[in-house]
Amino acid sequence: MNVLLTGGCGYIGSHVAVVLMAAGHHVAIVDNLSNSHQGVVDRISEIAGRSPAFHRGDVADVKLVRDVIREHSVDSVIHLAGFKSVGESVQWPLKYYQNNVCGALGLLEAMEAESVAHLVFSSSATIYGDPRYLPVDESHPQHVINAYGRSKLHIEDMLRDVCVSRPSLGAVCLRYFNPVGAHSSGLIGDRPRGIPNNLMPYVVQVASGELERLKVFGDDYPTPDGTGVRDYIHVMDLAEGHVAALDYLSSNSGWHAFNLGTGRGYSVLEMIRAFEAQSGRSIPFEITGRRQGDVACSYADIRSAAQGLNWRATRSLEDMCASAWGFQSRLAGG
Ligand code: NAD
Ligand code: UDP
């Protein structure tokens, strides 16, 4: 297939590009590099053995996206471009609606004008809010508490409407749980700008000595060791889920949503221990108060993805930690 991959220079997008190319697809990336670097394209090429097409630009630019679709005879789109920081979205909600919602709108207009009928969208488990039951399945009530989550929900809803109006269209919303880890080459991985918000990149930078110690946000949750529990999924498993979603769209139209997780949760302390074992480094930490907006425990019901997409995560927690450390070590080595 000829795939337009938006946000393909980012953490998840670069892994999706590699997996798509390994599966024989032609990949054209559109990324405005607002949170990434063009050097990632070279790294993708090094891993894949051939280069994806790269167009620097914004997904809200309908003309640019239409031109890319025509130039590459695009038949499917994987849409990952967007902002992703919960904290920033609370401070700057309009920035999030502008970039995420208007970006998706521009993309959808371009797809409609060029009659592209397949879309895979990067949604998030954050739309479920505080789980009312576990594991969280796709029909769990939706309860967003910040502009980031609401931007994801708006886009999911927009896609529902567009699918009703264009019955030939197929859209799959993939609700990611907690992607971590990196490609085994160590060439691509998660390297957020500034101080990381997420657990794994923070832990990695403590291990490397760039940050002094981890703050563990609360040890008084109703979980086995009191720290928050999440469903961490290897980014390569997650990337393969996108290829499975594309395959699904070749024989299914309409709107669909699937969780991408492993179905099991690990606590913050379990993550620290697993990372220490894989890296051979110790992770100094202190327990602090809870982080506002955090939930105690979240993990996915994965049956729907297993049945519908014929996909399930296979990589271990050890692999998640070892590959994240491998990426950091390769970065440090230049
Ligand atoms: P990332 O910031 O590393 O990658 C996003 C990429 O999109 C970046 O390369 C950025 O430059 C680009 N971009 C942003 N806005 C753009 C625009 N308007 N036009 C063109 N390019 C644009 O983030 P990521 O972790 O790879 O996440 C990818 C997607 O997955 C995001 O939409 C995010 O909300 C979603 N998601 C991520 C997580 C996570 O934990 N990483 C969890 C759930 C959902
Ligand atoms: N966490 C933590 N210290 C950090 C970052 C995160 O203790 O510096 C905890 C957080 O409270 C949650 C888990 O690690 O229980 C995962 O947090 P992350 O931000 O990675 O993902 P999300 O909250 O989006 O699920």
Side-chain angles (χ1 to χ4, degrees), residues 178 197-199 214-217 228 230 232 268 291 294:
N178 290 60
N197 293 311
N198 295 113
L199 178 66
L214 174 73
K215 291 190 173 98
V216 174
F217 298 140
R230 295 290 184 276
Y232 298 94
V268 177
R291 182 171 66 178
D294 269 356

Side-chain angles (χ1 to χ4, degrees), residues 21-238:
M21 290 168 78
H25 300 294
H26 174 76
V27 175
I29 292 173
V30 170
D31 196 306
N32 64 8
L33 304 180
S34 56
N35 196 36
S36 52
H37 304 278
Q38 196 172 331
V40 171
V41 177
D42 298 331
R43 287 162 174 245
I44 293 169
S45 309
E46 195 175 333
I47 297 169
R50 61 195 167 96
S51 299
F54 173 67
H55 299 265
R56 182 172 186 171
D58 201 292
V59 286
D61 182 342
V62 179
K63 183 182 177 309
L64 169 106
V65 176
R66 286 188 67 173
D67 287 348
V68 172
I69 289 173
R70 275 202 297 270
E71 182 181 338
H72 299 282
S73 306
V74 165
D75 45 52
S76 306
V77 175
I78 298 182
H79 178 45
L80 309 182
F83 293 153
K84 61 168 181 177
S85 162
V86 169
E88 196 185 37
S89 83
V90 173
Q91 210 180 357
W92 305 106
L94 298 184
K95 178 177 167 182
Y96 272 67
Y97 291 125
Q98 174 67 45
N99 195 54
N100 294 4
V101 179
C102 297
L105 198 59
L107 178 68
L108 287 170
E109 275 179 42
M111 286 177 64
E112 187 166 286
E114 298 298 332
S115 305
V116 179
H118 296 167
L119 175 69
V120 177
F121 169 59
S122 60
S123 190
S124 168
T126 194
I127 65 166
Y128 297 123
D130 201 349
R132 295 194 190 159
Y133 56 83
L134 289 165
V136 179
D137 62 22
E138 287 81 357
S139 50
H140 185 283
Q142 294 165 354
H143 179 66
V144 288
I145 53 167
N146 53 62
Y148 168 68
R150 205 161 281 118
S151 73
K152 292 289 176 194
L153 209 48
H154 283 334
I155 297 168
E156 284 207 4
D157 288 343
M158 252 159 49
L159 292 176
R160 279 182 207 267
D161 292 337
V162 176
C163 285
V164 170
S165 78
R166 277 179 71 198
S168 60
L169 189 76
V172 170
C173 300
L174 296 176
R175 297 176 178 161
Y176 309 161
F177 278 66
N178 290 60
V180 295
H183 188 264
S184 55
S185 63
L187 284 167
I188 51 175
D190 193 9
R191 181 71 189 179
R193 292 179 183 198
I195 309 271
N197 293 311
N198 295 113
L199 178 66
M200 182 61 103
Y202 204 108
V203 165
V204 168
Q205 290 189 30
V206 171
S208 68
E210 289 166 81
L211 295 170
E212 200 184 325
R213 67 179 60 236
L214 174 73
K215 291 190 173 98
V216 174
F217 298 140
D219 67 348
D220 56 353
Y221 285 106
T223 59
D225 64 22
T227 64
V229 168
R230 295 290 184 276
D231 186 339
Y232 298 94
I233 172 171
H234 197 299
V235 67
M236 288 298 289
D237 280 327
L238 188 89

